[in-house]
Amino acid sequence: MTHFKMKDKTALVCGAGGFIGGHLVKRLKAEGFWVRGVDLKFNEHAETEADDFAIGDLREQSFVRAVIDRPFDEVYQLAADMGGAGYIFTGENDADIMHNSATINLNVLDACHKRNIKRVFYSSSACMYPEHNQLDPDNPNCAEDSAYPANPDSEYGWEKLFSERLYLAYNRNHGMQCRVARYHNIFGPEGTWDGGKEKAPAAMCRKVAMAPDGGQIEVWGDGKQTRSFLYVDECIEGTLRLLRSDFEGPVNIGSEEMVTINELAELVIALSGKDLGINNIPGPLGVRGRNSDNRLIREKLGWAPEQPLADGMKTTYNWISGEIDRKHNLRKAS
Ligand code: NAD
């Protein structure tokens, strides 16, 4: 552990062992912060750059009090029980998802309040938008003010909605300055790419990288469901800008470049240079269409993500195929 000097700006990242948290720690370190990371585990893909990393369970109040033992200039609460469609939409993990994530948010936010910490960032998700506004794949409505009457299509989305309200209630009643973002499908290197919790971009890269030339990859659904995907660096940029702004949110942090899932698959196939077919099979899906609506973020922050999907997918594909080769070589050597 590196001790901080009084002049250092300090940040706490809850969920620092995860995908976005790992990238966020790197960015905060590059900005000169003293950073404490907290998670159940270390990140499996990259060594942490945090000055101090506490391994423990944020569902435990005593642990939360121990890691929030001083005022931090910035707190980022990203820890959640989450995964891709194969984890969130099967129904098998609903009780855990709701109980674990809500408990983490209740504990972390209250501990921040008791330490008189003002600025807390909370990562909600586009999964909280009503299902009935996302039935038309060509015209999904994800404007921030379309959230109510609420009707998310998963318990994951309901928990996010509850926690958004919790953070904003602490602003109203306890004079805090929490900031709430609704992330839309974040992807990039150093994220989960196998094991069941991976999301569509990473799963697609893995399937394509592992498929023999001339073969086929399986894609869930009819492939016409639409989504947008945001590269992790732009997600971090939006996160920092929001936390340091006067706008409490909730606000979308996502890309407006909407593609069908089959188009995403075709993009990855093209990046690989392989000749592969697509086999659409039944699978857990989520809503029919979803795209970020960036009017509010542009208005309030004067900024919105702009990087083309193909650029981020190229970096991600190269990283995942490298990881697959590395695993393969390790297996051969042992
Ligand atoms: P992730 O699963 O990689 O990271 C979450 C981290 O939280 C994990 O490392 C996990 O170990 C940790 N965690 C879970 N339970 C914990 C507990 N009880 N105590 C301590 N740590 C615990 O997920 P991510 O993709 O980095 O997402 C970060 C946040 O952004 C999450 O809140 C997620 O819901 C939200 N979000 C992500 C996306 C996306 O596309 N990645 C989209 C919308 C919202």
Side-chain angles (χ1 to χ4, degrees):
M1 165 168 166
T2 323
H3 288 284
F4 64 91
K5 302 179 195 77
M6 286 313 284
K7 65 174 176 42
D8 286 342
K9 282 215 160 207
T10 55
L12 176 74
V13 178
C14 301
F19 164 51
I20 301 171
H23 285 270
L24 179 59
V25 169
K26 278 189 206 172
R27 171 71 187 264
L28 290 166
K29 282 307 300 167
E31 290 192 0
F33 275 74
W34 183 91
V35 181
R36 170 174 289 164
V38 186
D39 205 296
L40 285 170
K41 57 163 182 69
F42 287 108
N43 187 297
E44 31 304 54
H45 306 296
E47 208 166 305
T48 184
E49 293 184 15
D51 298 279
D52 176 31
F53 200 102
I55 295 282
D57 192 334
L58 292 165
R59 290 170 301 183
E60 303 292 336
Q61 275 185 3
S62 54
F63 174 69
V64 173
R65 276 198 298 267
V67 292
I68 306 180
D69 60 347
R70 70 187 70 167
F72 286 89
D73 294 302
E74 298 181 357
V75 172
Y76 297 87
Q77 198 323 75
L78 306 178
D81 192 359
M82 69 104 70
Y87 187 72
I88 290 176
F89 297 122
T90 59
E92 287 162 21
N93 308 299
D94 285 352
D96 280 349
I97 288 170
M98 295 193 90
H99 171 268
N100 295 343
S101 297
T103 309
I104 294 169
N105 285 311
L106 289 161
N107 286 347
V108 170
L109 182 55
D110 203 57
C112 287
H113 166 51
K114 295 208 165 101
R115 283 275 167 211
N116 205 19
I117 294 169
K118 297 286 180 213
R119 293 262 156 172
V120 182
F121 172 89
Y122 173 59
S123 51
S124 178
S125 163
C127 287
M128 47 59 62
Y129 283 115
E131 186 175 17
H132 53 256
N133 287 339
Q134 300 172 80
L135 298 176
D136 175 359
D138 297 324
N139 257 319
N141 177 8
C142 290
E144 286 82 351
D145 60 6
S146 71
Y148 297 96
N151 182 26
D153 70 333
S154 66
E155 301 302 356
Y156 171 76
W158 278 106
E159 189 282 326
K160 288 293 188 192
L161 206 52
F162 162 76
S163 291
E164 282 189 0
R165 302 187 68 97
L166 180 70
Y167 283 82
L168 298 181
Y170 270 63
N171 283 357
R172 276 198 307 280
N173 297 160
H174 296 314
M176 291 182 70
Q177 292 162 22
C178 301
R179 301 288 180 256
V180 177
R182 294 173 179 160
Y183 286 165
H184 289 241
N185 290 318
I186 315 303
F187 75 99
E190 298 174 6
T192 306
W193 54 272
D194 65 354
K197 280 193 165 188
E198 67 279 16
K199 319 255 177 45
M204 215 70 92
C205 290
R206 184 198 67 232
K207 288 176 188 177
V208 169
M210 293 181 81
D213 207 359
Q216 274 196 335
I217 60 159
E218 291 184 339
V219 173
W220 288 344
D222 63 7
K224 293 180 185 140
Q225 65 273 32
T226 52
R227 291 290 184 280
S228 71
F229 302 96
L230 181 70
Y231 191 61
V232 63
D233 286 357
E234 291 204 292
C235 166
I236 304 291
E237 183 66 34
T239 298
L240 298 182
R241 283 175 185 258
L242 177 63
L243 183 77
R244 295 166 187 173
S245 80
D246 293 336
F247 181 53
E248 69 175 16
V251 65
N252 293 327
I253 295 187
S255 161
E256 285 181 319
E257 185 181 345
M258 189 170 80
V259 291
T260 68
I261 295 299
N262 276 2
E263 282 167 352
L264 178 72
E266 282 156 15
L267 170 64
V268 180
I269 292 169
L271 288 170
S272 74
K274 293 184 187 178
D275 176 21
L276 296 176
I278 295 173
N279 182 17
N280 289 110
I281 58 160
L285 291 177
V287 293
R288 193 73 189 131
R290 176 171 295 153
N291 192 12
S292 187
D293 181 327
N294 289 348
R295 285 172 297 176
L296 189 65
I297 194 168
R298 252 186 229 108
E299 179 196 324
K300 298 291 182 186
L301 302 189
W303 173 90
E306 302 224 308
Q307 182 175 308
L309 175 64
D311 292 4
M313 286 306 293
K314 187 171 179 200
T315 314
T316 308
Y317 180 78
N318 289 342
W319 180 78
I320 291 177
S321 51
E323 287 295 290
I324 291 169
D325 290 347
R326 203 169 55 84
K327 254 193 172 176
H328 181 72
N329 292 338
L330 280 177
R331 228 177 280 130
K332 266 205 326 215
S334 64

